[in-house]
Amino acid sequence: MVKSVFQPIYEDLLSRIQDGRLLPGMPLPSENALAVQYGTSRPTIRRAIGLLVEKSLVIRQPGIGSIVASQPRSNKERKLKIGIDWNPSESFHNTAFYSDKLLSGILAAAEPHGHTVKFLPRTHRELYAKEFDGIILTSILPTSEEESSYVTLAKQGIPVVLLNRFPVSKELSYISVDYYKETYRVIDRMIRNGARRIALYGPDGYHLMQFSGRVAAWQDAHRANGIPVDPELTVRNSLPESMEKFIHVLKNNPPDVIFILHGNNTLSLMPVISSLHIRIPEELSLFCFDDIAELGETMKIPFSFIKMPLKQMGERAVNYIEEFHLSGAAPLKEIASASVEVKECRFLI
């Protein structure tokens, strides 16, 4: 049987991978360079590389080229080792309201297929990450140095997925809600239903990525509805002077609603409200950008909240890592939709 024109090229590249001349993570020469080397056309080279991709020996990375896979990938039954940055000793918020739900999704998708899930050490994660087939970052935004290290891993064929964080580098994947959009639609709806004083309650970190979108949406929704942004309703609970001013506001001219930036902030807010004997929801409505249903039930307080699809996001991250190792899927850029749970808030009827 006469071999196809691309077959000898495929076999030569395969031999170079198998005998170690082309190591995992190494890029193949460009199609132009290979065409010159083998004295053939780019379409022929493309077919040879395509066969290596089909056999999961090479991965195509948009904007980077073709690289040797980190490990041979045979079929869908391959057991993967997935590293995540979740830390059981993190704050009450990050476990009860957030990371636990992400982790449940990761495990739900990984365990039926026999994948191993292990936690990355809290220091030098990027060094240990090389041992894994994929990395999921659940609760941190990498520093520029860490992100650079993760980009290197991605270029070597180890996919890195950020959950609810937007990386700077295009090589990294993410699945996130749109903080700005979700906040804007809630604040706008409250204003249209009669709320005129909506306090923003959170930490002294409004510039941080996970908070800046929510703060900007709160401001923009007020301006779009012709309502001035009142500085006294911007509360940073980690600053004593800000809390003192807010307590004065609660006593003398309370807001219609307090928009709580994330679940952990409820722990500092509720003792203040309780000490002032403010009735919820008759005198004040509470809204949180986090699924705090369990906390509300425990405290018997009707919190309304934005519910992010955290479990589904964890599942999707694992599914993407599987897809990557099966077909060399391009970096994932996915926006997840959140929902609003209303608990006795007259401004969200």
Side-chain angles (χ1 to χ4, degrees):
M1 181 181 293
V2 178
K3 289 185 177 181
S4 301
V5 177
F6 69 87
Q7 190 71 25
I9 301 170
Y10 158 76
E11 291 174 353
D12 185 59
L13 291 172
L14 175 62
S15 174
R16 291 161 68 180
I17 292 172
Q18 291 176 333
D19 65 18
R21 284 176 288 166
L22 286 173
L23 296 171
M26 288 180 60
L28 297 184
S30 68
E31 291 181 359
N32 284 335
L34 289 172
V36 171
Q37 178 182 337
Y38 290 105
T40 188
S41 64
R42 285 185 61 190
T44 299
I45 295 297
R46 197 171 296 123
R47 291 192 66 186
I49 294 175
L51 187 55
L52 291 170
V53 171
E54 288 178 13
K55 295 183 178 297
S56 299
L57 295 168
V58 165
I59 297 171
R60 283 196 174 107
Q61 292 279 48
I64 299 173
S66 299
I67 63 173
V68 180
S70 59
Q71 295 180 25
R73 299 169 175 89
S74 56
N75 54 47
K76 195 169 184 178
E77 297 306 314
R78 181 187 168 203
K79 307 300 186 286
L80 301 174
K81 186 177 179 182
I82 299 172
I84 59 176
D85 75 334
W86 185 81
N87 179 11
S89 66
E90 283 181 345
S91 70
F92 178 64
H93 158 68
N94 282 337
T95 54
F97 304 146
Y98 189 80
S99 295
D100 274 357
K101 293 180 173 63
L102 291 173
L103 180 61
S104 69
I106 292 170
L107 294 177
E111 289 179 343
H113 298 284
H115 303 324
T116 301
V117 176
K118 292 190 175 182
F119 302 135
L120 290 172
R122 301 307 291 172
T123 57
H124 304 296
R125 299 182 189 88
E126 68 279 5
L127 299 179
Y128 292 95
K130 296 178 182 179
E131 303 174 6
F132 295 92
D133 298 300
I135 306 297
I136 302 174
L137 306 183
T138 64
S139 60
I140 62 164
L141 184 65
T143 64
S144 57
E145 183 178 350
E146 287 175 331
E147 180 159 328
S148 176
S149 298
Y150 285 130
V151 168
T152 299
L153 292 176
K155 290 180 177 179
Q156 293 174 351
I158 302 174
V160 179
V161 186
L162 279 72
L163 297 184
N164 264 340
R165 301 290 185 268
F166 294 98
V168 174
S169 305
K170 64 182 181 180
E171 292 87 355
L172 302 184
S173 297
Y174 66 80
I175 309 167
S176 179
V177 299
D178 186 327
Y179 292 114
Y180 179 93
K181 182 186 76 173
E182 301 294 351
T183 300
Y184 186 96
R185 69 185 180 118
V186 168
I187 300 297
D188 180 69
R189 184 175 163 190
M190 288 178 178
I191 293 173
R192 291 176 182 274
N193 284 331
R196 290 297 176 266
R197 290 174 56 78
I198 304 174
L200 189 70
Y201 186 89
D204 184 28
Y206 286 2
H207 63 287
L208 298 176
M209 183 279 298
Q210 60 266 44
F211 300 129
S212 60
R214 307 175 207 189
V215 175
W218 174 78
Q219 295 170 334
D220 290 350
H222 279 78
R223 294 179 181 129
N225 285 280
I227 298 176
V229 176
D230 190 343
E232 73 174 10
L233 295 181
T234 303
V235 188
R236 291 171 168 81
N237 68 343
S238 54
L239 300 179
E241 61 272 23
S242 181
M243 284 300 296
E244 289 176 9
K245 291 179 181 178
F246 187 53
I247 291 172
H248 179 78
V249 169
L250 288 173
K251 289 179 178 178
N252 297 281
N253 187 18
D256 299 311
V257 184
I258 299 178
F259 185 95
I260 307 164
L261 279 178
H262 72 106
N264 200 36
N265 297 143
T266 59
L267 304 180
S268 63
L269 175 63
M270 295 318 300
V272 174
I273 290 177
S274 177
S275 68
L276 297 175
H277 306 290
I278 298 174
R279 294 178 301 155
I280 309 295
E282 294 85 358
E283 298 175 325
L284 176 66
S285 293
L286 299 176
F287 190 94
C288 183
F289 198 116
D290 254 332
D291 182 350
I292 55 172
E294 294 177 10
L295 179 64
E297 292 172 3
T298 300
M299 301 179 72
K300 301 188 184 307
I301 293 176
F303 288 103
S304 297
F305 56 88
I306 288 176
K307 184 175 182 178
M308 295 181 283
L310 299 176
K311 181 178 180 181
Q312 293 85 344
M313 292 167 71
E315 292 173 343
R316 180 69 182 103
V318 173
N319 293 338
Y320 166 72
I321 292 173
E322 291 175 331
E323 293 168 8
F324 179 91
H325 286 292
L326 281 170
S327 60
L332 182 68
K333 315 292 182 184
E334 190 165 295
I335 298 296
S337 296
S339 59
V340 176
E341 298 287 329
V342 180
K343 304 288 185 180
E344 300 182 43
C345 177
R346 66 183 185 276
F347 302 109
L348 289 173
I349 297 173

